[in-house]
């Protein structure tokens, strides 16, 4: 059986890995859900999200693709038509600016599912990635895009990663692949290689990789320390997905708001929910830019500005993480 580890010698191959374990049968059983999370580092639910809500979000993506002339917005397969991708917003910035995630999570059926799952009001952290990934131009490289653990870059925010496919994502299209059961082990990132601190090749054992064929209505939630990555798209279609972070409203969520003061070693924030304060920023704080890289302490006052929207978690008056909203 070929594994992602073998991609170093067979870079264009599709990894054959075991299926994700479904958690559908555990819904409503808090103890069983917690045990599965502790064991695997994820929950995968098949066909639980309202397909109408998913289709409405997908339509927003397709409208954007049509506007850039790279796909027919009415094409149910979201096939790439071969047009130039020069100027195409690979980070889907227009969707970030319009906060396309908000109408989706406010849909009654979507809210009800997450309220039932978490047994709490969902608190959505506005760290969102909109993916409309075109077919890879170079298919000789490893299909593993960038293996990482979100927790390394988000210290102090105990969220769950929520990844939602908006169309069928099979082996060729790629999609998300994760390392099962590695969320309670050591952090795998190499702290000697700033600013991205990559996970070394082979750090995830080959037999731990898991994925499946994803379909609209599915949702995958992962522990913030579960190593994962996307697989390069080797199909003729765009890969459509959204990932966002969620936690219970009673789980000490971070503050989301605007900076009112920015100094070399401190910031002040006015939160959207009424929480506010002044927070020390020091060498132990992980401040990151829009590119995901850590901002050196000496550059805080020039990289962050009054009025910037940020997510900030703090402990004892010190910022543990600060990152811009995009």
């Amino acid at each position: 059986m070929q594994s992602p580890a073998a991609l170093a010698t067979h870079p264009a191959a599709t990894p054959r890995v075991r299926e994700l374990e479904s958690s559908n049968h555990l819904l409503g059983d808090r103890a069983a859900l917690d045990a599965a999370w502790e064991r695997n580092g994820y929950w995968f639910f098949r066909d639980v999200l309202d397909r109408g809500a998913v289709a409405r979000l997908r339509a927003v993506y397709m409208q954007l693709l049509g506007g850039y002339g790279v796909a027919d917005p009415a094409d149910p397969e979201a096939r790439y038509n071969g047009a130039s991708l020069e100027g195409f917003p690979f980070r889907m910035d227009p969707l970030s600016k319009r906060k396309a995630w908000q109408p989706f999570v406010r849909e009654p059926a979507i809210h009800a599912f997450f309220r039932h799952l978490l047994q709490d009001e969902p608190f959505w952290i506005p760290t969102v990635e909109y993916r409309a990934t075109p077919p890879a131009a170079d298919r000789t490289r490893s299909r593993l895009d960038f293996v990482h653990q979100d927790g390394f870059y988000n210290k102090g925010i105990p969220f769950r990663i929520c990844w939602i496919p908006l169309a069928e994502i099979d082996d060729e299209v790629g999609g998300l692949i994760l390392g099962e059961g590695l969320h309670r082990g050591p952090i795998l990132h190499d702290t000697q290689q700033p600013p991205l601190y990559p996970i070394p090749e082979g750090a995830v054992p080959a037999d731990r990789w898991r994925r499946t064929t994803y379909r609209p209505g599915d949702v995958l939630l992962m522990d913030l320390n579960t190593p994962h990555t996307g697989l390069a798209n080797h199909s003729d279609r765009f890969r459509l997905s959204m990932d966002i972070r969620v936690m219970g409203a009673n789980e000490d969520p971070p503050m989301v708001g605007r900076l009112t003061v920015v100094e070399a070693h401190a910031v002040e924030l006015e939160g959207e929910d009424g929480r506010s304060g002044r927070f020390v920023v020091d060498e132990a704080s992980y401040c990151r830019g829009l590119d995901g890289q850590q901002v050196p302490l000496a550059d805080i006052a020039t990289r962050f500005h009054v009025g910037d929207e940020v997510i900030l978690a703090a402990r004892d008056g010190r910022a543990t993480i600060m990152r811009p909203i995009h």
Side-chain angles (χ1 to χ4, degrees), residues 211-234:
R211 71 169 308 279
T212 191
T213 293
Y214 304 97
R215 299 181 179 90
D218 297 349
V219 61
L220 174 65
L221 291 100
M222 295 181 291
D223 188 275
L224 76 172
N225 287 324
T226 294
H228 63 281
T229 184
L231 288 178
N233 184 355
H234 283 189

Short mmCIF file of all heavy atoms in Angstrom, two decimals, residues 211-234:
data_model
loop_
_atom_site.label_atom_id
_atom_site.label_comp_id
_atom_site.label_asym_id
_atom_site.label_seq_id
_atom_site.Cartn_x
_atom_site.Cartn_y
_atom_site.Cartn_z
N ARG A 211 -7.99 9.97 4.96
CA ARG A 211 -8.82 10.87 4.16
C ARG A 211 -10.03 10.07 3.69
O ARG A 211 -10.20 8.91 4.07
CB ARG A 211 -8.07 11.46 2.96
CG ARG A 211 -7.75 10.47 1.86
CD ARG A 211 -7.24 11.14 0.59
NE ARG A 211 -8.09 12.21 0.10
CZ ARG A 211 -9.20 12.03 -0.61
NH1 ARG A 211 -9.62 10.80 -0.90
NH2 ARG A 211 -9.91 13.07 -1.02
N THR A 212 -10.87 10.67 2.86
CA THR A 212 -12.01 9.99 2.27
C THR A 212 -12.42 10.76 1.03
O THR A 212 -11.81 11.78 0.69
CB THR A 212 -13.18 9.90 3.26
OG1 THR A 212 -14.18 9.01 2.75
CG2 THR A 212 -13.80 11.26 3.52
N THR A 213 -13.43 10.27 0.33
CA THR A 213 -14.07 11.07 -0.71
C THR A 213 -15.13 11.91 -0.02
O THR A 213 -16.07 11.39 0.58
CB THR A 213 -14.71 10.18 -1.79
OG1 THR A 213 -13.68 9.48 -2.50
CG2 THR A 213 -15.52 11.02 -2.78
N TYR A 214 -14.94 13.22 -0.08
CA TYR A 214 -15.83 14.15 0.62
C TYR A 214 -16.96 14.58 -0.31
O TYR A 214 -16.77 14.71 -1.53
CB TYR A 214 -15.05 15.39 1.07
CG TYR A 214 -13.84 15.09 1.92
CD1 TYR A 214 -12.57 15.03 1.38
CD2 TYR A 214 -13.97 14.89 3.30
CE1 TYR A 214 -11.46 14.76 2.16
CE2 TYR A 214 -12.87 14.63 4.09
CZ TYR A 214 -11.61 14.57 3.51
OH TYR A 214 -10.51 14.32 4.30
N ARG A 215 -18.14 14.85 0.29
CA ARG A 215 -19.30 15.25 -0.48
C ARG A 215 -20.02 16.39 0.22
O ARG A 215 -19.90 16.56 1.44
CB ARG A 215 -20.25 14.06 -0.67
CG ARG A 215 -19.61 12.89 -1.43
CD ARG A 215 -20.59 11.74 -1.63
NE ARG A 215 -19.95 10.66 -2.38
CZ ARG A 215 -19.29 9.65 -1.82
NH1 ARG A 215 -19.17 9.58 -0.49
NH2 ARG A 215 -18.75 8.71 -2.57
N PRO A 216 -20.80 17.19 -0.53
CA PRO A 216 -21.58 18.25 0.12
C PRO A 216 -22.47 17.68 1.20
O PRO A 216 -23.13 16.65 1.02
CB PRO A 216 -22.40 18.83 -1.05
CG PRO A 216 -21.61 18.51 -2.27
CD PRO A 216 -20.97 17.17 -2.00
N GLY A 217 -22.47 18.33 2.35
CA GLY A 217 -23.20 17.85 3.51
C GLY A 217 -22.29 17.25 4.56
O GLY A 217 -22.68 17.12 5.72
N ASP A 218 -21.07 16.88 4.15
CA ASP A 218 -20.08 16.34 5.10
C ASP A 218 -19.42 17.48 5.85
O ASP A 218 -19.36 18.63 5.38
CB ASP A 218 -19.00 15.55 4.37
CG ASP A 218 -19.53 14.32 3.64
OD1 ASP A 218 -20.71 13.96 3.87
OD2 ASP A 218 -18.77 13.74 2.83
N VAL A 219 -18.86 17.17 7.01
CA VAL A 219 -18.04 18.13 7.74
C VAL A 219 -17.00 17.37 8.54
O VAL A 219 -17.27 16.28 9.08
CB VAL A 219 -18.90 19.02 8.66
CG1 VAL A 219 -19.64 18.21 9.72
CG2 VAL A 219 -18.05 20.10 9.33
N LEU A 220 -15.80 17.91 8.59
CA LEU A 220 -14.69 17.33 9.33
C LEU A 220 -14.22 18.35 10.36
O LEU A 220 -13.89 19.48 10.01
CB LEU A 220 -13.54 16.98 8.37
CG LEU A 220 -12.23 16.49 8.99
CD1 LEU A 220 -12.43 15.16 9.70
CD2 LEU A 220 -11.15 16.36 7.91
N LEU A 221 -14.21 17.95 11.63
CA LEU A 221 -13.68 18.80 12.69
C LEU A 221 -12.43 18.15 13.23
O LEU A 221 -12.39 16.93 13.46
CB LEU A 221 -14.70 18.99 13.80
CG LEU A 221 -15.93 19.83 13.42
CD1 LEU A 221 -17.10 18.93 13.09
CD2 LEU A 221 -16.28 20.82 14.52
N MET A 222 -11.39 18.94 13.46
CA MET A 222 -10.10 18.43 13.91
C MET A 222 -9.62 19.18 15.14
O MET A 222 -9.89 20.37 15.31
CB MET A 222 -9.03 18.59 12.82
CG MET A 222 -9.26 17.78 11.57
SD MET A 222 -7.89 18.08 10.41
CE MET A 222 -8.22 19.79 9.95
N ASP A 223 -8.85 18.46 15.96
CA ASP A 223 -8.14 19.08 17.06
C ASP A 223 -7.12 20.07 16.49
O ASP A 223 -6.54 19.84 15.41
CB ASP A 223 -7.42 18.01 17.88
CG ASP A 223 -6.81 18.55 19.15
OD1 ASP A 223 -5.68 19.05 19.10
OD2 ASP A 223 -7.47 18.46 20.20
N LEU A 224 -6.87 21.15 17.21
CA LEU A 224 -5.94 22.15 16.69
C LEU A 224 -4.52 21.62 16.53
O LEU A 224 -3.70 22.21 15.83
CB LEU A 224 -5.94 23.41 17.57
CG LEU A 224 -5.23 23.39 18.92
CD1 LEU A 224 -5.22 24.80 19.49
CD2 LEU A 224 -5.86 22.46 19.92
N ASN A 225 -4.20 20.48 17.17
CA ASN A 225 -2.86 19.91 17.04
C ASN A 225 -2.81 18.67 16.14
O ASN A 225 -1.79 17.99 16.08
CB ASN A 225 -2.30 19.56 18.42
CG ASN A 225 -1.89 20.80 19.19
OD1 ASN A 225 -1.40 21.76 18.62
ND2 ASN A 225 -2.12 20.80 20.49
N THR A 226 -3.90 18.38 15.44
CA THR A 226 -3.88 17.28 14.48
C THR A 226 -3.13 17.72 13.23
O THR A 226 -3.53 18.68 12.58
CB THR A 226 -5.32 16.87 14.11
OG1 THR A 226 -5.97 16.33 15.25
CG2 THR A 226 -5.32 15.83 13.00
N PRO A 227 -2.03 17.05 12.87
CA PRO A 227 -1.31 17.44 11.66
C PRO A 227 -2.14 17.14 10.42
O PRO A 227 -2.80 16.10 10.34
CB PRO A 227 -0.03 16.59 11.71
CG PRO A 227 -0.37 15.44 12.59
CD PRO A 227 -1.39 15.92 13.56
N HIS A 228 -2.12 18.05 9.47
CA HIS A 228 -2.93 17.88 8.27
C HIS A 228 -2.38 18.74 7.15
O HIS A 228 -1.54 19.61 7.36
CB HIS A 228 -4.39 18.25 8.55
CG HIS A 228 -4.58 19.69 8.94
ND1 HIS A 228 -4.32 20.16 10.21
CD2 HIS A 228 -5.00 20.77 8.23
CE1 HIS A 228 -4.56 21.46 10.27
NE2 HIS A 228 -4.97 21.86 9.07
N THR A 229 -2.90 18.52 5.97
CA THR A 229 -2.54 19.33 4.82
C THR A 229 -3.58 19.09 3.73
O THR A 229 -4.42 18.20 3.84
CB THR A 229 -1.14 18.98 4.29
OG1 THR A 229 -0.81 19.87 3.21
CG2 THR A 229 -1.07 17.55 3.77
N GLY A 230 -3.50 19.89 2.68
CA GLY A 230 -4.29 19.63 1.49
C GLY A 230 -3.47 18.81 0.52
O GLY A 230 -2.24 18.84 0.54
N LEU A 231 -4.17 18.06 -0.33
CA LEU A 231 -3.52 17.32 -1.41
C LEU A 231 -3.67 18.10 -2.71
O LEU A 231 -4.76 18.62 -3.01
CB LEU A 231 -4.13 15.94 -1.58
CG LEU A 231 -3.84 14.89 -0.51
CD1 LEU A 231 -4.59 13.61 -0.83
CD2 LEU A 231 -2.35 14.62 -0.43
N ALA A 232 -2.61 18.18 -3.48
CA ALA A 232 -2.65 18.92 -4.74
C ALA A 232 -3.76 18.38 -5.64
O ALA A 232 -4.05 17.18 -5.67
CB ALA A 232 -1.30 18.82 -5.44
N ASN A 233 -4.38 19.28 -6.37
CA ASN A 233 -5.51 18.97 -7.23
C ASN A 233 -5.01 18.42 -8.58
O ASN A 233 -4.45 19.15 -9.38
CB ASN A 233 -6.34 20.24 -7.43
CG ASN A 233 -7.59 20.02 -8.24
OD1 ASN A 233 -7.85 18.93 -8.76
ND2 ASN A 233 -8.39 21.07 -8.36
N HIS A 234 -5.25 17.14 -8.82
CA HIS A 234 -4.84 16.50 -10.06
C HIS A 234 -6.04 16.18 -10.96
O HIS A 234 -5.98 15.25 -11.78
CB HIS A 234 -4.04 15.22 -9.77
CG HIS A 234 -2.64 15.51 -9.35
ND1 HIS A 234 -1.67 14.53 -9.21
CD2 HIS A 234 -2.02 16.68 -9.03
CE1 HIS A 234 -0.53 15.08 -8.82
NE2 HIS A 234 -0.71 16.39 -8.69
#
